[in-house]
Amino acid sequence: MSTTESERLRGLLEPLVSAKDLDLEEIELSRAGRRRVLRVVVDSDEGVDLDECAELSRTISDLLDETDAMGEDEYQLEVTSPGAERPLTEHRHYLRAVGRLARIQPHEGDEVVARILAVDDDGLDLEVPGVKGRKPTARRVEFSQIAKARVEIEFNRKDKKEEEA
């Protein structure tokens, strides 16, 4: 998708998404055979459920039909939330990931997998799990040091209620 097309769609859709108290994370336009696929990724501090995605999809579809923003070609609209292993690229993404495990690749040095304990304007406070019976260690990483970061899926993590019991 061209930058101008992306900016035009973002300008059109951002007010709709914001009106639902959601953040417009990504717009992706791709080809699937003869038709195009417009994928709109939204999120919020509380997450996004299926009903919210369906409602927003109807609203976006109506707007796109009214404005003819997608032209005459057939297209499929997908409104979704970020995946479980979403990349962390914005400050709000890190805030939403507090308490979660993340894989962080610094510009220099080795990759680290650690739990995000706190986020401030400058960086992250992490808890790096101990290896072979050792205790976890605290680590500070500044945003300027991070090349890439992504949330990790945890299958055996206890939720807060289990930990407090």
Side-chain angles (χ1 to χ4, degrees):
M1 171 166 58
S2 71
T3 303
T4 52
E5 190 174 24
S6 173
E7 289 170 357
R8 186 171 46 84
L9 284 170
R10 182 171 283 280
L12 188 64
L13 300 180
E14 191 110 47
L16 282 180
V17 174
S18 295
K20 305 275 187 193
D21 293 325
L22 300 172
D23 295 315
L24 180 57
E25 296 292 349
E26 183 181 344
I27 296 175
E28 179 184 305
L29 188 59
S30 59
R31 283 239 171 247
R34 298 171 116 177
R35 79 174 68 152
R36 296 178 298 165
V37 176
L38 176 60
R39 186 168 183 257
V40 179
V41 180
V42 296
D43 201 6
S44 77
D45 291 343
E46 295 77 35
V48 181
D49 65 30
L50 189 58
D51 291 336
E52 288 173 304
C53 286
E55 181 183 333
L56 185 58
S57 179
R58 286 188 291 276
T59 305
I60 290 173
S61 181
D62 290 345
L63 178 68
L64 292 176
D65 290 346
E66 288 171 14
T67 61
D68 200 30
M70 294 298 291
E72 295 297 317
D73 293 342
E74 287 185 36
Y75 71 93
Q76 177 179 335
L77 175 62
E78 295 178 3
V79 177
T80 185
S81 61
E85 290 185 316
R86 70 162 321 149
L88 303 173
T89 57
E90 302 284 336
H91 188 265
R92 68 178 179 264
H93 298 166
Y94 290 97
L95 288 171
R96 292 174 184 158
V98 169
R100 308 255 336 251
L101 206 59
R103 181 173 300 274
I104 299 169
Q105 177 65 54
H107 290 290
E108 296 178 9
D110 293 332
E111 180 177 82
V112 63
V113 176
R115 189 159 316 281
I116 299 174
L117 297 179
V119 178
D120 59 32
D121 291 340
D122 301 317
L124 313 170
D125 292 326
L126 305 173
E127 179 184 74
V128 181
V131 180
K132 296 183 180 177
R134 293 193 177 128
K135 290 185 178 188
T137 56
R139 181 168 174 184
R140 174 76 181 175
V141 176
E142 302 296 321
F143 288 124
S144 61
Q145 298 172 317
I146 300 173
K148 289 193 282 187
R150 177 178 300 279
V151 169
E152 288 284 292
I153 294 177
E154 295 179 81
F155 292 106
N156 59 352
R157 180 163 185 235
K158 295 177 184 174
D159 66 15
K160 288 183 180 182
K161 290 178 185 171
E162 289 179 45
E163 290 174 0
E164 291 170 359

